[in-house]
């Protein structure tokens, strides 16, 4: 019992930090996954338990971002089915082939996401302010092939999050940054809710097909909810350009770290 409370007191603040990092940068697993490993959870089950706890981040962020979400319901409807559908496929793949088989490809996904988001740092301010609820997604009214490509990209992100998840939020942020004229705070809110839903779907699958350390989900989840609520408030204060640069640099650093661990 003493050991559990030690884990509780360790995972709660780690969850708060992970929730803030998740809802501002999409890099929760940079904190939460290693924290679960540190208390002795095996890698595959740490991945599954982390996914279950991350549901609370999406819930906290949703409560905190009701204004942004309410203004962009149409965009949410376009994104959510693809992230949820992808998550189902990803969770199934994880159970069929453990995430360790995927580790050599992950650094490149994270690197591409970081570079893509970095390329959007100087995106026209005019593009982010002259918008309406009807034209805030750039692929509206464009060639159908373009819309299909964007949809497939979002589906793959959902699939990736259900399978492994490290920096999945950065991947979705990068896609939304490149394909929307919404302010950063708005598409960041869409990212938080979409990935929260993807984690929920994956968790439901894991309940019946894997092992979740629910005793550890509780402190981590409480922390993630608190951090998830705090994150959107931070995003509203810090300029989007600074956030994009910071997220991009963190993603590139993570890609290098993952590359070294996978290949050396």
């Amino acid at each position: 019992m003493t050991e559990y409370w030690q884990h509780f007191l360790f995972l709660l603040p780690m969850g708060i930090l992970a929730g803030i990092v998740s809802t501002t940068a999409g890099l929760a697993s940079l904190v939460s996954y290693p924290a679960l490993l540190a208390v002795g959870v095996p890698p595959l089950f740490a991945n599954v338990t982390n996914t279950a706890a991350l549901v609370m981040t999406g819930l906290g962020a949703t409560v905190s971002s009701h204004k942004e979400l309410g203004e962009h319901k149409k965009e949410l409807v376009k994104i959510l089915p693809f992230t949820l559908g992808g998550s189902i496929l990803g969770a199934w793949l994880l159970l069929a082939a453990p995430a360790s088989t995927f580790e050599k490809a992950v650094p490149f996904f994270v690197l591409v996401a970081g570079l893509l988001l970095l390329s959007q740092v100087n995106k026209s301010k005019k593009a982010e302010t002259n918008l309406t609820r009807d034209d805030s997604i750039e692929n509206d009214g464009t060639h159908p092939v373009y819309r299909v490509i964007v949809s497939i990209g979002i589906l793959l992100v959902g699939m990736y999050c259900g399978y492994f998840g490290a920096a999945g939020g950065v991947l979705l942020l990068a896609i939304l940054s490149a394909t929307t004229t919404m302010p950063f705070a708005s598409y960041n809110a869409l990212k938080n809710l979409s990935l929260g839903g993807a984690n929920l779907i994956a968790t439901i699958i894991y309940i019946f097909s894997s092992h979740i350390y629910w005793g550890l989900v509780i402190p981590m989840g409480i922390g993630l909810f608190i951090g998830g609520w705090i994150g959107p408030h931070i995003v509203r204060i810090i300029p989007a350009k600074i956030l994009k640069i910071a997220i991009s640099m963190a993603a590139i650093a993570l890609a290098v770290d993952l590359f070294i661990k996978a290949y050396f």
Side-chain angles (χ1 to χ4, degrees):
M1 183 61 71
T2 301
E3 183 182 38
Y4 174 75
W5 284 107
Q6 290 175 343
H7 291 167
F8 191 103
L9 294 175
F10 171 70
L11 292 176
L12 180 61
M14 287 296 99
I16 295 174
L17 178 59
I20 294 173
V21 172
S22 174
T23 49
T24 57
L27 288 164
S29 294
L30 188 63
V31 178
S32 56
Y33 179 70
L36 289 168
L37 293 177
V39 298
V41 183
L44 177 60
F45 296 133
N47 193 12
V48 169
T49 301
N50 185 47
T51 297
L54 284 171
V55 173
M56 297 304 293
T57 304
L59 183 58
T62 299
V63 172
S64 186
S65 304
H66 58 87
K67 179 178 181 293
E68 289 86 354
L69 294 171
E71 292 175 349
H72 298 287
K73 292 179 181 177
K74 284 179 60 178
E75 287 73 26
L76 182 61
V77 170
K78 294 173 184 176
I79 295 170
L80 200 55
F82 293 103
T83 53
L84 296 183
S87 178
I88 294 172
L89 294 173
W92 176 80
L93 280 176
L94 176 62
L95 299 174
S100 59
T101 62
F102 196 51
E103 65 180 0
K104 293 188 181 299
V106 169
F108 301 100
F109 290 148
V110 177
L111 177 62
V112 169
L115 293 175
L116 180 58
L117 189 59
L118 188 63
S119 73
Q120 300 296 313
V121 165
N122 292 318
K123 190 173 183 179
S124 170
K125 269 279 186 181
K126 184 177 180 181
E128 289 195 343
T129 54
N130 294 345
L131 63 131
T132 68
R133 293 183 184 182
D134 293 327
D135 65 3
S136 57
I137 294 291
E138 289 181 353
N139 60 11
D140 284 352
T142 57
H143 198 283
V145 174
Y146 179 82
R147 294 199 297 271
V148 169
I149 292 173
V150 172
S151 297
I152 291 174
I154 295 173
L155 177 71
L156 291 174
V157 170
M159 186 174 172
Y160 172 78
C161 289
Y163 186 79
F164 189 77
V170 177
L171 290 168
L172 188 53
L173 272 180
I175 292 175
L176 294 177
S177 179
T179 60
T180 182
T181 56
M182 288 184 288
F184 181 86
S186 295
Y187 61 78
N188 184 63
L190 296 180
K191 177 266 295 181
N192 290 332
L193 178 56
S194 297
L195 296 189
N199 287 325
L200 176 60
I201 294 296
T203 298
I204 292 172
I205 294 173
Y206 295 150
I207 287 173
F208 297 101
S209 53
S210 188
H211 178 68
I212 298 173
Y213 284 66
W214 290 109
L216 302 181
V217 168
I218 293 172
M220 181 70 79
I222 294 172
L224 285 166
F225 179 87
I226 296 171
W229 184 85
I230 294 172
H233 293 284
I234 295 175
V235 168
R236 295 186 190 113
I237 297 171
I238 301 177
K241 183 174 183 178
I242 294 176
L243 281 171
K244 288 181 180 179
I245 292 174
I247 296 168
S248 299
M249 293 297 100
I252 292 170
L254 176 60
V256 172
D257 179 64
L258 291 172
F259 180 85
I260 292 172
K261 290 177 179 177
Y263 289 91
F264 296 98

